[in-house]
Each structure stands twice: as structure tokens, then as C-alpha cells.
Amino acid sequence: MSQVDKFERILSTEDFQKDVVYEGVSFWKDVYLRFIENRGAVIGMILIAIITFMAFFGPMMNEHSYKSKVDNHINLPPRIPVIEKLGIFDGERSGKNVYVEKGLDDVYYWFGTDNLGRDLWTRTWVGTRVSIYIAMLAVVIDMFIGMGYGLISGYVGGNVDNVMQRFIEILSGIPNLVIVTLFVIVLNPGILSISLALVITGWIGMSRVVRSQVLKLKELDFILASKTMGASTGMLLMQDLLPNIFGQVIIMSMFSVPNAIFYESFLAFIGLGLQPPLASLGVLINDGYKSILVYPHIILPPVIVLALLMLSFNLLADGLRDSFDPKMKQH
């Protein structure tokens, strides 16, 4: 028996012996494909789109403004056309139809009214605009101030890095509430005080993340090759370092958004944010909790919108993190 005859062929088909050629996929397309496979992230993005749409167009769906008061419409429960026939949102409280008792047969308030007779539907969506503004502001602050500060600190290093990091430690040691309080004393409570407080301290976390990434990347061979080719510092930062940390920057920005939204709502709740008759979700929650046992419909809409908004941004951030991280790729 020859040496070849000692081997027995197991597979009877040639399919397993063919080379498999996979189609090349770009980095961004790969990120997109992984993102759309994440149901939670997609749901979060859809909810953000719906809430944003309602924040800008919801107040236009009825004739009430966010500050108009009607004395005869105080503390009315929700009442929605058509749906009221199903026995829900029909204007009843304690078994009595409040609208019929007051002779308001043709009046509808989709979220009800507050203790001053103001439409909660309009005030809720107008207040949501403030939260969306804070979300956009947090992203801009992270992208420009935090990312720029971290890039310079990490790349330059040495004494410059030491001075910049000591400055951050000083800012971090000052409580945010103290900073907002100082601005409130000078500028009065409002969105401007909150915005300035975010500008001063809202970028610190991003700058530290970017600095740590730059310290790791700047010692790699491709940076040395760019320096050898005569690349300027600006080109190194913008063309070599930034693209490699941009995914992390986006992820951190998305994670900072819920914190910023909650920060504004908390300040409004304790009276350091927008002042009535202006509306924000925090102001509405502050108004509603005072009568939560008697008129729970006042606090429910802003609480639900705030919870959905924060949950949606967290789901979106988780999805982006998984999409940008090659280790999360399923083989």
C-alpha cells in the first residue's frame, strides 16, 4: 500500500474547498450596518425624531399659547376627541365629567390644564424645546471646546499639558450648583445662566477622554511617519488624530446629552432655571408635583416626555458605542 492510499477522504463535495471572497465594506458603511441591527438604538433614534417633531409642531396643533390663561378652565383633566368615546381621556374625574359640569361641551384639552387654566399640551411641547436646545448645546460644547482642549493638551504634552490639566482640576472642584447660583445672582434665573454654566464645566469629561486617546495614539508609527513626511501640527491633529478618535467623541457626546437635559430640568425644578410663565419640563414638573395627589394629570406629560427623551439618548449612545467599536462586530 502506497503512502497516499493511507489517507481517506472525508468530504465528498468540493464546496468546502472553495475560497470565499467577501465584498469590501468601508468603515462608515460597516458602522451603519451594525447600527441598524441594534433595535434599541434605532428605536431611540425614532423616538428622538418624533419628540423633536412634536416639540416644534405640537404647539401649532391647537389655538392655545403656552401662557394663555382661562379662568373657567382651571385643572381640567385630559379630553381628546374620538378617543373619549372609548371611555378614556374623556374629561372625567371621580366619576364626573368636569367639562359637562362647567358647560364646556365643545372644549378639548389633550393633556388637560394646570392650576391657572393653561393648556398642558402646548406647555409640554414648548418646554421640550428647551430640553432639545440643551441637548444640542451639550453636543456643540463637547465637539468644540472639549475635543479641542483635549487634542491640544494630549498632543503638546509637557508643561503645557500639566498647566491645562491643573486648570481642569480647579474647575472640577467647583460644584456646578455654585456656578449656576453665581450666574443667577448676576444674570437672574433663566436659560442664559444654565447655558453659561454648561459652557464653563460641561466639556471637562470630553476633554479628558480625548486627551487619553491622543496620548495613546501619538506614539504610534503612523504619526511618526506623518512627522517624517513633514506634516504640520495642524495636519497631524485634523487628518491623523481626529479621525481616529471621532467615533469616541460622538459616543461621549451622546452620553453627555441625557445628563445635560436632567441638569436643566433639575435646576428648573429647584427654581434656578426658567421662570413662569416660561415653560420647560423642569418647570412643569415643579408645578405638577405640588398637586400630584389631587391632579396627577398635570405632572404626567412632562415626566413621561423627559423620561422618554433621556432613555432615547441613552439607547442611541449605546448603539453608537457598539457600532463604532470593532470588538462588538459579530463574526
Side-chain angles (χ1 to χ4, degrees), residues 7 19 45 124 178 198 242:
F7 294 94
D19 292 333
M45 187 172 63
T124 298
V178 173
L198 286 174
L242 184 57

Side-chain angles (χ1 to χ4, degrees), residues 43-69:
I43 292 173
M45 187 172 63
I46 293 173
L47 284 175
I48 291 171
I50 293 174
I51 292 173
T52 303
F53 176 84
M54 293 303 300
F56 287 96
F57 296 99
M60 303 177 188
M61 294 179 182
N62 59 33
E63 67 277 9
H64 306 288
S65 70
Y66 73 92
K67 59 182 179 181
S68 59
K69 304 183 210 177

Side-chain angles (χ1 to χ4, degrees), residues 3 35 52 59 75 122 138 145 148 195 203 215 219 221 243 282 293-294 306 308:
Q3 193 72 16
F35 179 81
T52 303
N75 296 325
T122 303
I145 302 178
S195 300
W203 50 270
L215 288 174
E219 302 298 333
D221 292 341
L293 296 178
V294 183
L306 179 62
L308 286 176

Side-chain angles (χ1 to χ4, degrees), residues 31 166 215 237 265 297:
V31 169
R166 299 299 81 74
L215 288 174
L237 292 176
S265 299
H297 72 274

Side-chain angles (χ1 to χ4, degrees), residues 20-198:
V20 179
V21 179
Y22 294 95
E23 181 184 356
V25 179
S26 66
F27 171 74
W28 290 106
K29 185 177 181 180
D30 194 36
V31 169
Y32 169 75
L33 292 174
R34 287 204 298 271
F35 179 81
I36 61 176
E37 290 177 357
N38 190 319
R39 293 183 180 179
V42 174
I43 292 173
M45 187 172 63
I46 293 173
L47 284 175
I48 291 171
I50 293 174
I51 292 173
T52 303
F53 176 84
M54 293 303 300
F56 287 96
F57 296 99
M60 303 177 188
M61 294 179 182
N62 59 33
E63 67 277 9
H64 306 288
S65 70
Y66 73 92
K67 59 182 179 181
S68 59
K69 304 183 210 177
V70 183
D71 293 336
N72 194 36
H73 295 179
I74 293 175
N75 296 325
L76 292 177
R79 187 187 187 193
I80 303 176
V82 180
I83 298 180
E84 64 177 338
K85 297 178 181 179
L86 302 176
I88 56 175
F89 300 112
D90 53 2
E92 289 194 2
R93 182 191 299 128
S94 302
K96 299 179 181 180
N97 193 306
V98 181
Y99 289 80
V100 174
E101 288 183 348
K102 293 189 175 184
L104 306 174
D105 296 336
D106 298 328
V107 175
Y108 293 91
Y109 287 100
W110 297 342
F111 284 171
T113 60
D114 62 8
N115 52 12
L116 294 177
R118 296 175 296 194
D119 178 38
L120 286 174
W121 169 272
T122 303
R123 287 181 62 78
T124 298
W125 296 123
V126 169
T128 306
R129 293 178 184 176
V130 177
S131 296
I132 293 174
Y133 160 77
I134 292 295
M136 295 177 63
L137 179 64
V139 172
V140 170
I141 290 171
D142 278 345
M143 287 289 188
F144 289 94
I145 302 178
M147 186 175 64
Y149 196 95
L151 278 172
I152 296 172
S153 178
Y155 183 77
V156 176
N159 292 330
V160 173
D161 182 39
N162 287 331
V163 172
M164 295 178 75
Q165 293 307 305
R166 299 299 81 74
F167 176 71
I168 284 182
E169 290 175 3
I170 294 173
L171 286 181
S172 301
I174 305 175
N176 288 339
L177 193 58
V178 173
I179 296 175
V180 175
T181 304
L182 292 175
F183 279 123
V184 166
I185 294 173
V186 177
L187 302 173
N188 297 325
I191 196 66
L192 180 59
S193 302
I194 299 173
S195 300
L196 291 175
L198 286 174

